Amino acid sequence: MPLDPRAKRLIDMLAMSAPASPITTAARREGFAKLMAMGAKSPAIARSEDIHIPGPGGPLRLRLYDPVSDRQVPAPALVFYHGGGLVAGSIETHDAICRTLAIAMNAMVVSVDYRLAPEARFPAALEDAAFAVNWLGEHGTGLNIDTARIAIGGESAGALLSALIAEGVRPLTAKIRAQLLLCPVIDLGGDFPSRREFAQGFMIDIATVDHDIADCLGPGQTVSALPSPLRDGSPGGVPPTIIVAAECDPFRDEAAAYAAHIGNAGVPVRHVCHSGMVHSFYGLSALLPQAAPALREAGEALAALLD
């Protein structure tokens, strides 16, 4: 199926307003924040609260979302890692996504404000991501979380953090029941046909991806220093996983490769690829009518795995 007409109009509009200068980290962050704010349709939720925990690099902010104002029993929870190439993005850019997922799941979502490159180069983001879920596994009961029903997940590069944690690339003490990956980046150093097919003009360009990779790497490092769930870890230990992909996304093929990778190891996988859609479309519900139903469906499917 060709690119959806509404998605094409959005991409054309973004191309007209894109700066002509080379990519900078500051411009990357500003542009990403503007896109997510423009595309967000943020539903009201009963409770949203920020807390800080002592993380590996200092205080680590978590935002808790709960669609129930006076919950009487501990709730399942999704620990969520935002997208943005490990360089851009924040709790704020993905606030609407987390609200929508919490409502669809009728459960809690905990969004992690992990450290970003280049100020904190990889693996700082992965260290924060793993620490947060382990901390919640130990202390979640104090937040009214059912620690026997914790899921992890993320969007784009945040999904990479989730997949690495699920495969044990960082020590995991919390018990993880399920995983949700939204348009996941799985192998930053990979060479997949969709990377070439949608290299330019489809929401995220490969030039931006290359800039993000350079920000993540330390002096003298190559992309091979960034782990991939396709090469590292143990797929047999991955919990049941839901993968949401987009047809016109540079990362489409690696999402399919990861679904096969863990499926061949015996992991139950639900892999959905949305026709005509672009990277991170589910975060643009104010602009793309397909976004909200796709995100709700993912949240409801995840809730079933945590039931």
Side-chain angles (χ1 to χ4, degrees):
M1 179 178 176
L3 181 64
D4 179 84
R6 294 182 185 86
K8 186 178 187 308
R9 284 196 295 271
L10 171 60
I11 289 170
D12 291 344
M13 178 186 69
L14 293 173
M16 291 176 62
S17 61
S21 57
I23 300 168
T24 66
T25 302
R28 166 80 164 115
R29 290 172 175 170
E30 181 182 4
F32 186 71
K34 285 182 177 178
L35 172 64
M36 297 301 283
M38 178 176 64
K41 187 180 288 184
S42 187
I45 197 164
R47 185 168 71 92
S48 173
E49 175 188 0
D50 285 7
I51 65 171
H52 291 81
I53 64 175
L60 179 60
R61 182 168 62 128
L62 310 178
R63 180 168 294 172
L64 282 60
Y65 300 86
D66 194 340
V68 178
S69 58
D70 187 22
R71 193 178 289 277
Q72 299 299 309
V73 296
L78 166 65
V79 182
F80 184 84
Y81 309 117
H82 65 76
L86 308 180
V87 170
S90 66
I91 284 178
E92 280 73 28
T93 59
H94 288 65
D95 182 79
I97 290 175
C98 290
R99 287 168 178 260
T100 302
L101 286 172
I103 292 168
M105 294 171 62
N106 191 31
M108 294 179 68
V109 172
V110 182
S111 186
V112 181
D113 198 24
Y114 58 83
R115 287 171 288 169
L116 299 178
E119 294 86 354
R121 297 190 189 274
F122 195 87
L126 182 59
E127 291 171 353
D128 286 352
F131 183 89
V133 69
N134 285 333
W135 187 91
L136 287 164
E138 183 177 352
H139 302 280
T141 52
L143 301 171
N144 212 15
I145 290 173
D146 182 349
T147 57
R149 292 191 290 164
I150 291 178
I152 58 174
E155 188 268 333
S156 189
L160 172 62
L161 299 178
S162 178
L164 289 170
I165 291 168
E167 293 214 6
V169 173
R170 280 294 183 274
L172 184 61
T173 57
K175 181 180 179 182
I176 304 305
R177 285 273 297 271
Q179 180 176 215
L180 172 64
L181 306 180
L182 303 173
C183 285
V185 177
I186 292 297
D187 188 354
L188 285 167
D191 181 22
F192 297 88
S194 59
R195 292 270 188 105
R196 298 186 292 273
E197 184 178 357
F198 305 110
Q200 189 172 2
F202 291 89
M203 191 58 69
I204 183 167
D205 293 348
I206 293 303
T208 300
V209 177
D210 290 343
H211 182 273
D212 290 347
I213 291 171
D215 270 350
C216 287
L217 296 173
Q221 288 186 314
T222 64
V223 71
S224 61
L226 301 175
S228 165
L230 296 176
R231 301 188 307 269
D232 306 283
S234 175
V238 173
T241 295
I242 298 164
I243 300 174
V244 178
E247 182 184 20
C248 302
D249 182 352
F251 305 111
R252 178 197 66 199
D253 290 350
E254 57 205 86
Y258 184 64
H261 175 67
I262 60 176
N264 290 338
V267 176
V269 184
R270 172 176 174 159
H271 174 219
V272 180
C273 187
H274 290 268
S275 300
M277 288 292 98
V278 293
H279 188 65
S280 299
F281 73 97
Y282 38 76
L284 304 174
S285 56
L287 304 170
L288 298 174
Q290 299 92 331
L295 194 57
R296 283 198 303 270
E297 179 185 317
E300 290 166 359
L302 183 63
L305 293 178
L306 295 175
D307 194 5

